[in-house]
């Protein structure tokens, strides 16, 4: 089963070349239809062509759609989705820290007892001393409350 | 003067060269554009497109002859049936293993098509009757372009879609069928469409590239076009020359602008995964 692949396979080369040539050909045909006088087509017997109005109208329509989307609709969508300046959402969201103290795991030293014969290789022994590591550890990445930040910056 | 050890393209040893040193042998294994397509291959490959293009032109010619009543639908039916039967016998005798098993199945398919074709031809005949003739012709043109784009030329590409290609061709034939004078004409046109767009590609996919297919096809197209319109015969010949000579020559000449690089750093390529899988299933 052939798949879409970025590898330079021979079939991609052939189809790419066919696309290159056919787009050039269709562009020339489009220009001929749009520019040449209609009497010439009638003279050779081609009468079923659409009105040449469409040769200009469809590109203009598409360009207008593009311009409206790029300069009106998408910027306005962005503006609509932005909360107003005094909205609480501009300074706070669900990842914001609620509590001042973070709940980091700290095992209770007294609870851990072990039945290992080799004390040096006991893993619980490591956990027993783990309290030091927890207190020195880098905290989890999270947002800071804006008032906490202001408190630190301007009131001390 | 101390002679340095020759540089090697390795990282696991210290070598007496600076870190940014690049030896002349660094890109020695680089290959660009391996296996360029030769002119002969390109010309034969283009005949596949020309064959399908000729098939489309032949179908439109059948429509023109039926539309202008230059020929009786009965004789078109007879001629196409004779050719189809000959092709069928050849196909089954040469390319099939158990002929008798398939024969019953094929005859049943034929019977179903004939019965349902006759039954539904009045419906198909009036299906697009209310659409204007210009729209029908434009629609047919675009459907045939879609048919040619998505047709399976035997090159494995992701764009190929047999079902879309066939549906477009059948849709075009149904569009054209509504311009004919009777339901029987419409039935004949749809029969010819099925023969040309379903059975004929099957037959050609077995034959592959052969002068005995493309030669008679082009000549008969040219002959019947000459009888109907000299201008379109000239357009057809020019298009044929463009497809089968102009495009391959351009393709071979433009290959020098490609710069695909290959080397030992490439990931492994399974050359023909499909054939490997097929071989395992046998």
């Amino acid at each position: 089963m052939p798949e879409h692949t970025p590898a330079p396979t021979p079939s991609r080369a052939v189809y790419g070349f066919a696309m290159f040539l056919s787009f050039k050909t269709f562009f020339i045909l489009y220009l001929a239809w749009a520019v040449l006088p209609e009497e010439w087509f009638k003279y050779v017997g081609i009468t079923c062509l659409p009105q040449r109005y469409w040769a200009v109208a469809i590109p203009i329509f598409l360009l207008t759609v593009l311009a409206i989307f790029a300069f009106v609709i998408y910027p306005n969508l962005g503006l609509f989705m932005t909360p107003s300046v005094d909205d609480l959402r501009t300074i706070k969201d669900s990842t914001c820290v609620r509590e001042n103290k973070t709940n980091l795991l700290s095992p209770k030293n007294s609870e851990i007892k072990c039945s290992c014969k080799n004390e040096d290789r006991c893993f619980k022994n490591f956990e027993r001393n783990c309290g030091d590591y927890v207190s020195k550890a880098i905290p989890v990445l999270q947002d800071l409350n804006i008032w906490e930040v202001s408190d630190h910056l301007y009131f001390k | 003067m101390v002679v340095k050890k020759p540089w090697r393209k390795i990282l696991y040893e210290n070598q007496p060269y600076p870190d940014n040193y690049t030896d002349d042998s660094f890109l020695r294994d680089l290959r660009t554009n391996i296996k360029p397509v030769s002119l002969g291959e390109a010309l034969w490959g283009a005949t596949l497109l020309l064959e399908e293009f000729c098939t489309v032109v032949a179908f439109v010619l059948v429509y023109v002859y039926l539309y202008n009543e230059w020929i009786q639908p009965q004789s078109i039916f007879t001629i196409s049936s004779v050719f189809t039967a000959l092709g069928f016998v050849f196909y089954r005798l040469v390319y099939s293993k158990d002929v008798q098993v398939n024969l019953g199945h094929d005859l049943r398919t034929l019977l179903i098509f004939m019965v349902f074709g006759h039954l539904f031809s009045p419906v198909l005949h009036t299906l697009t009757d209310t659409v204007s003739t210009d729209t029908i012709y434009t629609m047919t043109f675009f459907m045939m372009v879609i048919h040619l784009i998505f047709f399976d030329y035997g090159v494995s590409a992701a764009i190929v879609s047999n079902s879309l290609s066939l549906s477009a061709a059948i849709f075009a034939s149904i569009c054209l069928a509504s311009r004919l004078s009777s339901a029987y004409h419409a039935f004949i046109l749809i029969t010819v469409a099925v023969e040309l767009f379903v059975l004929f590609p099957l037959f050609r996919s077995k034959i592959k590239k052969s002068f005995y297919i493309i030669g008679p096809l082009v000549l008969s197209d040219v002959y019947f076009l000459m009888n109907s319109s000299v201008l379109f015969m000239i357009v057809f010949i020019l298009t044929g020359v463009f497809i089968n000579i102009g495009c391959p020559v351009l393709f071979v000449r433009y290959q020098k602008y490609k710069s695909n690089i290959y080397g030992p750093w490439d990931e492994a390529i399974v050359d023909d995964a499909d054939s490997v899988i097929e071989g395992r299933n046998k």
Side-chain angles (χ1 to χ4, degrees), chain B residues 88-205:
Chain B
F88 173 75
V89 169
F90 182 73
Y91 182 85
R92 278 294 178 230
L93 285 183
V94 178
Y95 298 109
S96 304
K97 280 160 196 165
D98 40 355
V99 180
Q100 294 191 334
V101 175
N102 286 320
L103 193 63
H105 181 254
D106 293 336
L107 285 177
R108 199 173 60 200
T109 312
L110 179 68
L111 194 68
I112 289 172
F113 175 78
M114 295 296 273
V115 169
F116 279 89
H118 264 297
L119 275 179
F120 287 114
S121 60
V123 179
L124 298 178
H125 177 230
T126 50
L127 199 59
T128 53
D129 220 10
T130 50
V131 183
S132 83
T133 304
D134 283 357
T135 312
I136 288 284
Y137 289 163
T138 315
M139 188 82 92
T140 307
F141 170 75
F142 282 115
M143 285 302 133
M144 284 308 180
V145 168
I146 289 175
H147 170 73
L148 286 176
I149 289 174
F150 292 96
F151 185 75
D152 184 5
Y153 296 104
V155 179
S156 79
I159 193 178
V160 168
S161 165
N162 262 327
S163 54
L164 178 58
S165 159
L166 179 62
S167 312
I170 296 296
F171 182 50
S173 73
I174 286 172
C175 282
L176 287 182
S178 67
R179 300 301 108 172
L180 296 175
S181 53
S182 76
Y184 185 62
H185 283 74
F187 170 67
I188 297 299
L189 191 73
I190 290 167
T191 309
V192 170
V194 169
E195 280 164 353
L196 285 179
F197 297 122
V198 181
L199 302 176
F200 194 39
L202 279 177
F203 182 67
R204 278 182 314 169
S205 69

Side-chain angles (χ1 to χ4, degrees), chain B:
Chain B
M1 183 182 164
V2 184
V3 178
K4 280 183 176 177
K5 274 165 65 180
W7 182 84
R8 293 163 69 202
K9 194 158 62 177
I10 51 173
L11 289 173
Y12 54 82
E13 268 180 16
N14 274 327
Q15 300 189 69
Y17 294 92
D19 282 348
N20 59 354
Y21 175 76
T22 312
D23 200 68
D24 289 339
S25 69
F26 188 75
L27 289 177
R28 192 183 49 202
D29 296 320
L30 175 73
R31 300 279 179 274
T32 55
N33 298 341
I34 49 173
K35 285 193 288 182
V37 178
S38 73
L39 186 61
E41 281 175 320
L43 288 173
W44 271 121
T47 56
L48 294 170
L49 175 59
L50 188 65
E51 275 174 11
E52 195 51 33
F53 181 70
C54 286
T55 313
V56 169
V57 172
F59 172 72
V60 175
L61 272 172
V62 168
Y63 165 74
V64 170
Y65 271 68
L66 278 175
Y67 180 73
N68 294 321
E69 314 249 335
W70 289 338
I71 190 168
Q72 286 301 309
Q74 191 59 50
S75 41
I76 283 191
F77 184 66
T78 314
I79 295 166
S80 63
S81 302
V82 165
F83 275 110
T84 311
L86 284 177
F88 173 75
V89 169
F90 182 73
Y91 182 85
R92 278 294 178 230
L93 285 183
V94 178
Y95 298 109
S96 304
K97 280 160 196 165
D98 40 355
V99 180
Q100 294 191 334
V101 175
N102 286 320
L103 193 63
H105 181 254
D106 293 336
L107 285 177
R108 199 173 60 200
T109 312
L110 179 68
L111 194 68
I112 289 172
F113 175 78
M114 295 296 273
V115 169
F116 279 89
H118 264 297
L119 275 179
F120 287 114
S121 60
V123 179
L124 298 178
H125 177 230
T126 50
L127 199 59
T128 53
D129 220 10
T130 50
V131 183
S132 83
T133 304
D134 283 357
T135 312
I136 288 284
Y137 289 163
T138 315
M139 188 82 92
T140 307
F141 170 75
F142 282 115
M143 285 302 133
M144 284 308 180
V145 168
I146 289 175
H147 170 73
L148 286 176
I149 289 174
F150 292 96
F151 185 75
D152 184 5
Y153 296 104
V155 179
S156 79
I159 193 178
V160 168
S161 165
N162 262 327
S163 54
L164 178 58
S165 159
L166 179 62
S167 312
I170 296 296
F171 182 50
S173 73
I174 286 172
C175 282
L176 287 182
S178 67
R179 300 301 108 172
L180 296 175
S181 53
S182 76
Y184 185 62
H185 283 74
F187 170 67
I188 297 299
L189 191 73
I190 290 167
T191 309
V192 170
V194 169
E195 280 164 353
L196 285 179
F197 297 122
V198 181
L199 302 176
F200 194 39
L202 279 177
F203 182 67
R204 278 182 314 169
S205 69
K206 293 286 182 187
I207 302 256
K208 295 280 161 62
K209 298 150 190 169
S210 165
F211 192 74
Y212 295 109
I213 299 266
I214 186 73
L217 207 53
V218 171
L219 287 180
S220 57
D221 272 358
V222 168
Y223 175 73
F224 288 113
L225 273 173
M226 193 169 63
N227 282 351
S228 49
S229 158
V230 177
L231 172 76
F232 280 99
M233 184 195 76
I234 295 167
V235 171
F236 174 74
I237 290 173
L238 288 180
T239 315
V241 168
F242 177 67
I243 289 176
N244 212 355
I245 295 170
C247 292
V249 169
L250 279 180
F251 183 76
V252 172
R253 280 188 58 191
Y254 282 4
Q255 276 186 121
K256 66 178 179 218
Y257 298 119
K258 280 168 70 176
S259 58
N260 293 332
I261 57 173
Y262 301 87
W265 52 82
D266 282 349
E267 53 193 280
I269 295 172
V270 182
D271 246 349
D272 205 348
D274 291 341
S275 68
V276 171
I277 292 165
E278 273 174 25
R280 197 187 298 147
N281 289 341
K282 270 172 192 170

Side-chain angles (χ1 to χ4, degrees), chain A residues 4-113:
Chain A
H4 286 287
T5 161
T9 55
S11 64
R12 275 189 74 220
V14 172
Y15 272 88
F17 183 71
M19 208 188 280
F20 165 75
L21 272 188
S22 53
F23 275 115
K24 291 223 160 188
T25 315
F26 278 117
F27 184 64
I28 291 169
L29 288 179
Y30 164 76
L31 277 188
W33 167 53
V35 172
L36 291 183
E38 266 179 55
E39 289 77 36
W40 293 15
F41 292 114
K42 275 179 190 158
Y43 179 70
V44 293
I46 303 170
T47 53
C48 61
L49 287 175
Q51 277 190 342
R52 288 200 296 173
Y53 166 77
W54 298 109
V56 182
I58 290 175
I60 290 291
F61 175 75
L62 291 179
L63 285 176
T64 313
V65 168
L66 182 74
I68 288 176
F69 265 90
F71 293 109
V72 180
I73 293 182
Y74 282 138
N76 279 323
L77 271 181
L79 288 177
F80 273 122
M81 289 167 74
T82 312
S84 64
V85 185
D86 54 354
D87 197 306
L88 207 59
R89 280 176 293 168
T90 55
I91 53 169
K92 199 179 169 187
D93 63 5
S94 59
T95 58
C96 207
V97 188
R98 295 278 156 74
E99 299 158 18
N100 281 336
K101 283 184 181 176
T102 52
N103 291 329
L104 285 175
L105 179 84
S106 55
K108 293 166 188 170
N109 287 346
S110 58
E111 293 299 312
I112 301 166
K113 281 189 177 174

